[in-house]
Amino acid sequence: MKRTLLFVAIICSSSFAFAQKTTYKVNTQTSTIKWEAKKVVGGHVGTIALKEGTIQTDKGKITGGGFTIDMNSMACTDAPKLTGHLKNEDFFDVPKYPTAKFVIAKVDNSKTTPIITGNLTIKNKTKAISFPAKVTSTADGLSAEALGVKVNRLDFDIQYRSASFFSDLGNRAIEDEFTLDIQIKATK
């Protein structure tokens, strides 16, 4: 009898643990990514959309996930004519690399604001990046916000007008880092 009760208790606790794990589907229509790139004089801002993505949680904390970024959706909102240049081989070479990816590798949930570390792939080059992300549970899903995520374009072989490679650019140089403000909305 004791063995039967122990077996039932183990099955029930295992079922409860699995019930705590949830996979959320990213809503690509309500999720946003805004980017900002700076030059010696000025800078530009724009948007880019997600193509698809998922977030995995365990007991309400992010444990994994990944996103596919639609590089064709990239837009420079303050100078629309620049969008075409960003998509050519000087920058992201979108005809050859129409998507980028981010895959969560680990999450440090020991802090109030979790630190997410993942692998960002742009132009078939992958680099690990880490950033804090505020996560909020909602009735039907979750939202995650990461502001000022720094990405070094040189890690992805984007050297156009980089003072790190070309010393004679003067005020035409573009900074090597750009930033992303990411707002993710996901549902069960």
Side-chain angles (χ1 to χ4, degrees):
M1 181 70 169
K2 287 182 181 179
R3 284 187 188 179
T4 304
L5 287 175
L6 180 61
F7 180 71
V8 169
I10 290 171
I11 295 297
C12 288
S13 65
S14 296
S15 297
F16 180 72
F18 286 117
Q20 297 295 317
K21 294 182 180 184
T22 307
T23 296
Y24 295 89
K25 183 177 179 182
V26 172
N27 183 330
T28 59
Q29 300 302 309
T30 58
S31 298
T32 61
I33 301 176
K34 295 179 181 176
W35 58 265
E36 180 178 12
K38 295 183 179 179
K39 303 185 289 185
V40 172
V41 180
H44 294 289
V45 295
T47 60
I48 192 161
L50 292 173
K51 188 171 186 176
E52 62 186 5
T54 59
I55 297 175
Q56 287 89 40
T57 65
D58 188 5
K59 298 177 185 164
K61 296 182 185 242
I62 292 178
T63 57
F67 315 98
T68 301
I69 303 160
D70 180 4
M71 297 303 288
N72 282 301
S73 72
M74 184 184 331
C76 182
T77 55
D78 68 318
K81 290 182 179 180
L82 180 59
T83 299
H85 190 203
L86 291 172
K87 291 181 179 182
N88 79 18
E89 62 278 353
D90 286 341
F91 288 97
F92 295 96
D93 201 0
V94 174
K96 189 172 180 181
Y97 306 102
T99 60
K101 292 185 189 243
F102 178 75
V103 177
I104 296 172
K106 68 178 181 174
V107 182
D108 179 356
N109 283 303
S110 67
K111 300 178 177 21
T112 305
T113 303
I115 305 296
I116 295 177
T117 300
N119 295 312
L120 178 62
T121 302
I122 300 173
K123 294 174 65 174
N124 280 349
K125 298 192 176 5
T126 303
K127 178 72 176 178
I129 62 171
S130 296
F131 52 87
K134 180 181 172 186
V135 180
T136 307
S137 293
T138 62
D140 63 342
L142 65 83
S143 63
E145 175 183 72
L147 303 177
V149 176
K150 294 181 187 283
V151 178
N152 188 327
R153 66 190 176 102
L154 300 181
D155 292 333
F156 305 99
D157 198 27
I158 303 170
Q159 300 173 5
Y160 184 79
R161 288 196 186 170
S162 167
S164 298
F165 285 89
F166 307 102
S167 59
D168 61 344
L169 294 172
N171 66 1
R172 297 179 310 136
I174 301 169
E175 289 186 13
D176 293 339
E177 285 189 335
F178 62 91
T179 58
L180 302 173
D181 287 344
I182 305 165
Q183 302 269 347
I184 301 293
K185 307 271 189 210
T187 56
K188 293 180 185 178

